[in-house]
Amino acid sequence: MSMTHNRTDMEVPYLSTDVSQDFESSLNLKVIYMIIKAKRIRNLELHFRWLPPGKRIVFGVSAIDRFQSLLTKIGFTDTLQIGESVLPPPAFGSISRFNALGKLIIHKDRPKETAYRMVEWHWQEWRGKNSSEEQSKLVDVPYKRYPRTFVLPPSVELKIAAQSQEGEKLITSPMMTYDKRNRTQLLHTINLFLDIFGECQVFHENLDAIINVPIKHLNWTVLPPGRYPWSRLKSQVQSLIQRVPTGNQKMIDNRLETINKHEPDFVAVGRAGFRGYIIFGFTAKNLFVLESIYFGNATYILGERWEELSALTKAEILSEHLHKDRVIHRVGWHRQIQKLLFA
């Protein structure tokens, strides 16, 4: 039996129930699955009236060969090995952008505050006899803006799994519990699949095979071992730096070069949803410096071991409880970095 509702702009549940008579009679098992097809949903209860509270569920898509080029864009490898896990990049729509980058809430109902923008000033200094020498320095330029609050990215990662060893591969979310307390997370995860794939399936049977899979995180590319002089490292990250406005590129160059002068043991470059982030590892000091190409951000000093750090979600890495220190991108940044890495 198959029941399908044509989609319109209205939010109508799309429910498909597929029962194989031979399969059911041989295993005495009824296979039920649900597919949501929409741009976005806002009413969770409308779609899940049939699901009892406390039920374990996993969201995902099946028949993943349909999405081969899309899966590469997400960050999975060409071989699509079971267990691969990756944070999708912010390239598919507003939901994937929020999932990877977070968002700013601008409080226009409050008085404006003073913020600072670090820029490089250049001027000509006269040396006498009609000669001059170009000088430059970093300065903080104040400006007024409405207060803002940064909301951490949900950082839902997608994983390749299967419902049995021989079963077809699926793209799945982490396991969740259907409960009103998880409403925000459930809605976000469904809408993330809709944003990327245009559909979202709900799996609620045989979940152990889906969940209990050794995870291989694909969010970081660790550069080959060895010391990297800035000229060599710059060639590895140049494509990232070129993504930011021209006026900010020299300052980003300067920050990365400053950290790299302290000779980290290794460098890891973020990929997929971590693109734009670089980690410099100083294992003897148990320090890991997380730098971002994004303007107005900060440098994070982390103290976890790399094996643990590389398995964390983006939200976990950016959350304050992991930070040994946080150095704002402002004048004085170089002095603080020097102090932290020479301590």
Side-chain angles (χ1 to χ4, degrees), residues 7-117:
R7 296 295 307 179
T8 67
D9 289 337
M10 297 177 61
E11 193 171 306
V12 179
Y14 178 105
L15 176 63
S16 176
T17 305
D18 187 353
V19 181
S20 169
Q21 189 172 5
D22 292 339
F23 184 71
E24 184 182 2
S25 60
S26 62
L27 295 181
N28 193 27
L29 177 67
K30 187 176 183 180
V31 180
I32 301 177
Y33 62 92
M34 177 181 178
I35 304 176
I36 300 171
K37 290 190 175 182
K39 290 185 177 180
R40 185 183 299 189
I41 70 167
R42 292 179 174 84
N43 190 328
L44 189 69
E45 291 73 21
L46 177 65
H47 294 266
F48 292 92
R49 288 174 294 190
W50 55 277
L51 196 62
K55 183 74 174 178
R56 295 192 313 166
I57 54 176
V58 168
F59 300 114
V61 293
S62 58
I64 65 175
D65 289 344
R66 298 175 291 156
F67 305 111
Q68 188 66 48
S69 60
L70 190 58
L71 296 178
T72 301
K73 189 176 181 181
I74 290 170
F76 290 110
T77 67
D78 292 338
T79 55
L80 298 174
Q81 295 296 309
I82 289 177
E84 291 183 0
S85 179
V86 68
L87 177 65
F92 304 100
S94 60
I95 306 298
S96 64
R97 188 161 54 250
F98 171 49
N99 187 64
L101 301 179
K103 64 182 178 182
L104 286 173
I105 299 176
I106 300 176
H107 304 286
K108 293 187 176 182
D109 57 331
R110 301 180 190 174
K112 287 187 176 181
E113 63 184 9
T114 301
Y116 295 88
R117 181 181 295 115

Side-chain angles (χ1 to χ4, degrees), residues 143-290:
Y143 65 100
K144 291 291 186 179
R145 71 178 188 187
Y146 289 108
R148 51 195 62 194
T149 301
F150 177 63
V151 180
L152 285 171
S155 306
V156 174
E157 297 193 5
L158 304 185
K159 181 181 73 174
I160 299 177
Q163 287 187 295
S164 68
Q165 287 187 337
E166 296 79 21
E168 68 167 322
K169 292 178 181 177
L170 312 168
I171 304 297
T172 66
S173 72
M175 189 276 292
M176 301 180 187
T177 301
Y178 180 66
D179 190 291
K180 288 184 178 180
R181 290 172 296 183
N182 298 332
R183 187 177 188 279
T184 299
Q185 183 188 25
L186 292 164
L187 274 174
H188 171 75
T189 305
I190 294 169
N191 286 325
L192 179 64
F193 275 90
L194 297 178
D195 200 33
I196 298 174
F197 299 100
E199 65 180 64
C200 178
Q201 278 181 254
V202 184
F203 303 98
H204 58 94
E205 301 292 346
N206 303 325
L207 292 188
D208 287 342
I210 294 178
I211 299 167
N212 298 325
V213 172
I215 301 298
K216 180 184 179 183
H217 293 279
L218 303 178
N219 293 319
W220 297 98
T221 297
V222 179
L223 300 185
R227 301 295 183 188
Y228 280 77
W230 175 236
S231 57
R232 183 183 175 197
L233 178 60
K234 185 174 180 178
S235 67
Q236 300 281 343
V237 299
Q238 189 63 36
S239 62
L240 294 177
I241 297 173
Q242 290 174 345
R243 293 167 63 92
V244 303
T246 304
N248 295 335
Q249 290 181 13
K250 191 167 184 179
M251 284 182 286
I252 293 170
D253 267 5
N254 182 270
R255 288 202 304 269
L256 296 177
E257 183 177 10
T258 297
I259 298 171
N260 195 62
K261 282 180 180 177
H262 294 277
E263 298 187 341
D265 304 315
F266 73 91
V267 179
V269 180
R271 57 187 304 275
F274 278 78
R275 187 177 177 88
Y277 287 83
I278 301 170
I279 285 182
F280 297 84
F282 300 87
T283 54
K285 298 180 179 181
N286 196 34
L287 286 181
F288 300 88
V289 181
L290 176 67

